Amino acid sequence: MISIYQQHIQKLQQTFESALQENDFESVLIYSGHSGYGFRDDNAYPFKTNPHFKYWLPLTKQPESFVLVEVGKKPHLFLNQKLDYWHAQPQLPDGEWQQHFDLTIITNIADVKNAVKDKTKSLAYIGLPITEDLSLGAINPALLINQIEYNRAYKTEYEIECLRVANFMAAKAHVVAKDAFYAGKTELEIHQAYLESLNIRESGLPYNNIIAFNHNASVLHYDDYQTEQPQQRLSFLIDAGAEFNGYNADISRTYLNGTSEFQQMFDAYQVEYFDLLSEIEVNKAYFDFHDSAHRRISKLLSEFDIVKCDAQQTYEKGYSQLFFPCGVGHYIGTQVHDVGGHFANKQGELLSKDPRYPHLRLLRRMEKNTVFTVEPGIYFIDQLLDTVKDNTDFNWNRVEQFKPYGGFRLEDSIAMNQGNVENLSIDAFNKL
């Protein structure tokens, strides 16, 4: 019986062969990447694998390695195992992947030059620039990359299964973090508990965890973990993920201490959130989905007397954008913010942006076999509120009352698995 990974490799081979032929190439060499260095420093940044490399292989700790994909041939892995007594050698994990790749061990990046020297006229190269002159063909050809990244939106069953596992790992760690919050731990201690629950170091996260108490939750990408307790522990917003075989989870939850009018607004938000999820269906424009989130947030801002307008006026005046300036979600896969969300077609033509929503990362329709996040929120952001501080449409007493809580959001990953709506994140929590 054919495995889901073998199906994945076969689908990638078909997709890449088509893209190569349409762009007048016969092969593509994909570089895993290498660690960079700070200015005038010999201390390397943590290594992060090229997402195009781990699209083919569940290998995330193999720098300076290559996958060669050729029309009509089995893919070939050039695995760098250079002798280096300064660093631990990356361990080659067992797995089914070994059955589907020819393997050559290399000890120097230059070794690859000899292997492809007769192919360079019809060879494309995808990856970070390499300082050595290896004459590796066309470097990062835009039309080829556009076609590949457009198609990366359509996930195979193998990819969706990897995303399921990543969400399950993250959900377990989220429960640990929630318990640590209610046990009185600091932001830094919660972050450390999250890492410990996954048995990883910080560089093993798909992105910097957001572990935010109180007003810190109004900073959209907050990661300045405090080591001391605030005077009051009003709220806790966590946005944290996990990685499995190079595929990522991205989950957000919010927890509040005690009862308050802010809790009542959060309760009402949760009703709107799940109603928004019920709108998900094949062929729905993600832009319309995002716009619906703004209409729902406008309704909450009006109902809870943050603005003095009704819901429709709040929406039409754009006030929701002050409290929800980011997009409602994005594709997710081998990258947390996976690519291709603005492409109209495989040639890389872009869909038109709406000037109201400049930060929306996904403009395509909700299609079968795609995976995207949903993460509307309400935040009390000083910099944005200061731009309208003289506007009498706002109930500034109410704003000041809610500011100390910072804000809230929920975030789940949704798989349109053969058109069925599968909430990977909620399903993961339900399995705990």
Side-chain angles (χ1 to χ4, degrees):
M1 181 177 178
I2 188 170
S3 71
I4 59 173
Y5 180 69
Q6 186 176 353
Q7 291 174 341
H8 173 71
I9 293 298
Q10 290 176 349
K11 177 68 182 300
L12 263 59
Q13 187 74 30
Q14 293 169 2
T15 299
F16 272 66
E17 286 190 6
S18 176
L20 288 169
Q21 291 170 338
E22 290 182 30
N23 289 278
D24 297 322
F25 294 106
E26 294 180 4
S27 54
V28 58
L29 189 66
I30 304 170
Y31 181 45
S32 67
H34 54 261
S35 295
Y37 293 86
F39 178 64
R40 297 181 66 81
D41 197 350
D42 62 357
N43 194 11
Y45 299 126
F47 171 68
K48 289 291 185 181
T49 305
N50 177 355
H52 288 275
F53 183 88
K54 59 183 180 175
Y55 191 27
W56 283 88
L57 286 155
L59 306 180
T60 59
K61 298 179 180 179
Q62 280 67 36
E64 301 181 3
S65 298
F66 300 81
V67 168
L68 177 65
V69 181
E70 300 182 84
V71 174
K73 293 185 179 180
K74 189 176 183 179
H76 197 125
L77 171 63
F78 295 91
L79 185 70
N80 196 325
Q81 296 279 277
K82 66 182 178 182
L83 300 175
D84 179 7
Y85 54 80
W86 292 102
H87 303 97
Q89 292 299 295
Q91 298 300 306
L92 189 63
D94 294 329
E96 181 193 349
W97 66 267
Q98 296 186 27
Q99 303 171 27
H100 305 295
F101 287 81
D102 289 331
L103 176 64
T104 298
I105 300 297
I106 62 174
T107 59
N108 192 302
I109 291 179
D111 295 343
V112 179
K113 182 177 181 179
N114 288 331
V116 300
K117 63 183 179 182
D118 297 328
K119 308 178 191 294
T120 54
K121 290 184 179 180
S122 60
L123 176 67
Y125 169 90
I126 295 178
L128 287 172
I130 302 174
T131 55
E132 299 177 55
D133 179 16
L134 299 184
S135 302
L136 295 176
I139 307 299
N140 294 321
L143 291 178
L144 177 65
I145 290 178
N146 287 347
Q147 189 162 343
I148 292 169
E149 294 189 339
Y150 177 84
N151 282 308
R152 265 176 50 190
Y154 305 111
K155 302 296 189 282
T156 63
E157 180 54 34
Y158 164 77
E159 293 182 279
I160 293 176
E161 181 59 27
C162 288
L163 290 165
R164 288 189 189 105
V165 175
N167 273 267
F168 183 73
M169 293 166 60
K172 289 197 297 183
H174 267 255
V175 171
V176 170
K178 178 185 73 171
D179 292 344
F181 170 68
Y182 287 118
K185 302 296 185 182
T186 65
E187 288 178 349
L188 181 60
E189 288 171 334
I190 293 173
H191 174 64
Q192 291 169 332
Y194 192 96
L195 294 175
E196 184 177 1
S197 71
L198 290 173
N199 197 28
I200 62 171
R201 57 197 293 186
E202 197 166 50
S203 59
L205 291 170
Y207 58 93
N208 283 349
N209 283 348
I210 297 168
I211 306 288
F213 291 175
N214 302 347
H215 193 54
N216 294 338
S218 70
V219 181
L220 298 178
H221 287 170
Y222 174 84
D223 59 3
D224 186 24
Y225 316 123
Q226 300 300 297
T227 60
E228 297 182 0
Q229 295 287 2
Q231 290 184 345
Q232 289 182 293
R233 297 163 58 85
L234 300 173
S235 61
F236 170 38
L237 189 154
I238 174 172
D239 183 334
E243 183 183 74
F244 178 75
N245 283 354
Y247 287 82
N248 301 291
D250 182 4
I251 300 174
S252 298
R253 293 294 184 264
T254 302
Y255 305 100
L256 302 177
N257 250 337
T259 58
S260 64
E261 290 180 287
F262 192 80
Q263 175 74 63
Q264 294 172 17
M265 184 168 69
F266 180 56
D267 291 343
Y269 158 86
Q270 292 181 77
V271 173
E272 296 294 337
Y273 177 80
F274 288 107
D275 282 350
L276 181 66
L277 292 183
S278 71
E279 294 183 17
I280 296 172
E281 60 183 3
V282 173
N283 208 40
K284 186 182 184 74
Y286 198 81
F287 175 87
D288 293 342
F289 184 70
H290 173 80
D291 193 59
S292 177
H294 272 277
R295 291 181 181 277
R296 293 177 181 279
I297 287 170
S298 296
K299 175 184 173 185
L300 292 171
L301 294 175
S302 177
E303 286 182 353
F304 285 87
D305 199 27
I306 295 166
V307 293
K308 301 174 184 178
C309 312
D310 63 28
Q312 183 62 24
Q313 291 172 326
T314 302
Y315 167 79
E316 290 175 353
K317 292 184 177 185
Y319 292 155
S320 61
Q321 296 164 52
L322 296 168
F323 297 87
F324 176 42
C326 46
V328 77
H330 48 81
Y331 281 146
I332 188 166
T334 56
Q335 291 173 275
V336 176
H337 297 151
D338 219 354
V339 291
H342 290 165
F343 286 163
N345 51 45
K346 64 183 181 181
Q347 286 73 39
E349 293 176 334
L350 298 179
L351 294 162
S352 298
K353 287 187 176 182
D354 188 304
R356 292 175 297 168
Y357 306 132
H359 303 299
L360 180 57
R361 291 187 171 95
L362 179 50
L363 294 171
R364 288 162 68 171
R365 292 188 175 274
M366 297 176 175
E367 299 176 84
K368 291 181 180 180
N369 302 321
T370 61
V371 183
F372 51 83
T373 66
V374 179
E375 49 179 311
I378 292 179
Y379 314 95
F380 292 81
I381 302 171
D382 290 326
Q383 296 97 315
L384 296 181
L385 293 172
D386 284 346
T387 66
V388 291
K389 61 184 178 182
D390 296 323
N391 190 324
T392 56
D393 281 347
F394 291 81
N395 182 346
W396 291 106
N397 289 333
R398 188 65 139 178
V399 169
E400 291 301 319
Q401 177 188 351
F402 284 169
K403 260 189 182 183
Y405 293 87
F408 50 70
R409 76 169 164 274
L410 302 176
E411 178 184 14
D412 297 315
S413 288
I414 306 297
M416 304 296 287
N417 196 359
Q418 298 298 319
N420 296 319
V421 178
E422 179 181 353
N423 192 316
L424 302 178
S425 307
I426 288 180
D427 286 354
F429 281 101
N430 289 339
K431 291 175 183 175
L432 297 178

